[in-house]
Amino acid sequence: MTAVDLSTSLAGVTLPNPVMTAAGCAAAGRELEPFLDVAALGGVVTRSVTLDPRAGWPPPRMVETASGVLSGTGLQGPGIGGFLATELPWLVQRQARAVVSIAGESLAEFAELARRVGNSPGVTAVEVNLGWPEDAATGRDPYQASKVVNVVRRDVPRGIPVLAKLAPVVHSVVDVTRAVVKAGADGVVLAHTVPGMAIDRRTLRPALGGVTGGLSGPAVHALAVRCVWEVHQALPDVCVVGVGGVRTGYDALELLLAGASAVQVGTMIFHDPSSPARIVAELEAELSQRNLTRVADVVGRAHRPEGELS
């Protein structure tokens, strides 16, 4: 087996490997402790933190479909005060690389979240949730998205990357990426869940308490690969994190080949809480079997004529 250097660069920050959790799938990481070492992952992306505590949407909040999972939590959480008091310190104590997802309902809220998170010890990066709620236009409109990123980047200290998590539909994801990078984003996360809905077979009523939710899992993997491919092709110098339906090491490799520097594992965690660690090992094996020695050599390789891999 060929030795592999799994380290990767996330907008200037070196990670030991490119596999992270996805926002909302493991709270702030504490739930994963019985199953894996959070410090061994490339990063732990927290649930999206809001300014004030939120009770979230009424249950049920998750329903399995034939091709993925529909979820709608309404961003339940302790608010920024509770997060900074208990959840972030837990990650820091375990030497995990904390990528803090933030979600606001106004520019003022985003600015306050950015200031408080950015000035807290132990934050590796800030992920700006531009796709919540699912019917919001912020993450799909270049102008609106750039306004949010501008205030976040202004209040997050330099040296801490700001990543914009974008929606994959309506406007060209390249146009939105170009706008948020111009506004100060150090990279983008592609892509957010896709709005969806399901009807309960028993009640013949909406299956989710919030009626609509975000579709994630296998159904959106090909869409995520396309988004990553398009952005890397148009803007090859922009840092991209790929997320959507990652279940195996090859799924992760596929996103790296399309142009991602890192990937996030989300829905799979509900089925297999140890999956992020397993996917790290599987990715290493996928690279070793192909005599590829560095993640850096793989990023975007599918765009090059010599990109074909056995």
Side-chain angles (χ1 to χ4, degrees):
M1 296 286 284
T2 303
V4 177
D5 177 7
L6 286 177
S7 65
T8 190
S9 176
L10 182 72
V13 174
T14 300
L15 305 180
N17 63 72
V19 179
M20 302 187 285
T21 63
C25 297
R30 194 186 300 264
E31 287 83 351
L32 297 181
E33 190 173 32
F35 306 99
L36 52 77
D37 177 8
V38 291
L41 299 178
V44 174
V45 185
T46 70
R47 59 181 164 189
S48 292
V49 181
T50 56
L51 191 61
D52 298 315
R54 292 181 60 91
W57 290 338
R61 295 177 174 177
M62 186 175 295
V63 60
E64 195 163 2
T65 74
S67 57
V69 171
L70 272 173
S71 58
T73 66
L75 300 188
Q76 177 183 339
I80 186 64
F83 172 78
L84 295 180
T86 60
E87 296 185 350
L88 182 58
W90 186 90
L91 287 169
V92 173
Q93 289 167 5
R94 280 148 185 81
Q95 299 182 316
R97 283 154 291 279
V99 179
V100 181
S101 174
I102 60 173
E105 297 189 68
S106 67
L107 292 179
E109 286 193 7
F110 272 111
E112 177 69 7
L113 288 163
R115 182 186 65 79
R116 295 180 67 177
V117 169
N119 288 285
S120 298
V123 175
T124 296
V126 174
E127 182 178 286
V128 186
N129 184 346
L130 294 176
W132 179 85
E134 281 80 1
D135 59 353
T138 306
R140 306 190 298 265
D141 180 82
Y143 175 68
Q144 297 295 335
S146 65
K147 287 202 303 182
V148 172
V149 169
N150 181 261
V151 300
V152 173
R153 178 70 277 177
R154 181 193 66 199
D155 290 327
V156 171
R158 295 293 171 178
I160 298 178
V162 170
L163 308 173
K165 187 170 185 178
L166 306 180
V169 292
V170 185
H171 284 277
S172 165
V173 72
V174 173
D175 291 341
V176 185
T177 297
R178 188 176 283 113
V180 297
V181 169
K182 185 177 180 180
D186 300 287
V188 291
V189 180
L190 302 172
H192 219 292
T193 57
V194 178
M197 182 179 175
I199 302 296
D200 186 271
R201 295 170 63 92
R202 181 180 58 85
T203 66
L204 306 184
R205 301 290 298 167
L208 287 176
V211 181
T212 62
L215 179 66
S216 62
V220 302
H221 181 67
L223 178 58
V225 173
R226 178 190 66 81
C227 289
V228 171
W229 173 277
E230 289 185 352
V231 168
H232 186 78
Q233 187 173 52
L235 305 165
D237 295 329
V238 172
C239 174
V240 177
V241 178
V243 55
V246 175
R247 295 175 292 169
T248 67
Y250 185 76
D251 290 337
L253 177 58
E254 200 172 11
L255 286 165
L256 296 175
L257 291 168
S261 297
V263 302
Q264 294 178 358
V265 181
T267 302
M268 191 63 202
I269 291 175
F270 299 128
H271 297 278
D272 175 10
S274 66
S275 60
R278 171 179 57 78
I279 289 168
V280 172
E282 290 179 356
L283 174 61
E284 183 175 18
E286 292 282 356
L287 295 172
S288 180
Q289 290 166 10
R290 294 171 170 83
N291 295 316
L292 296 166
T293 60
R294 299 195 313 155
V295 166
D297 295 335
V298 174
V299 175
R301 180 165 176 159
H303 291 262
R304 304 198 297 269
E306 69 275 20
E308 294 184 8
L309 301 178
S310 60

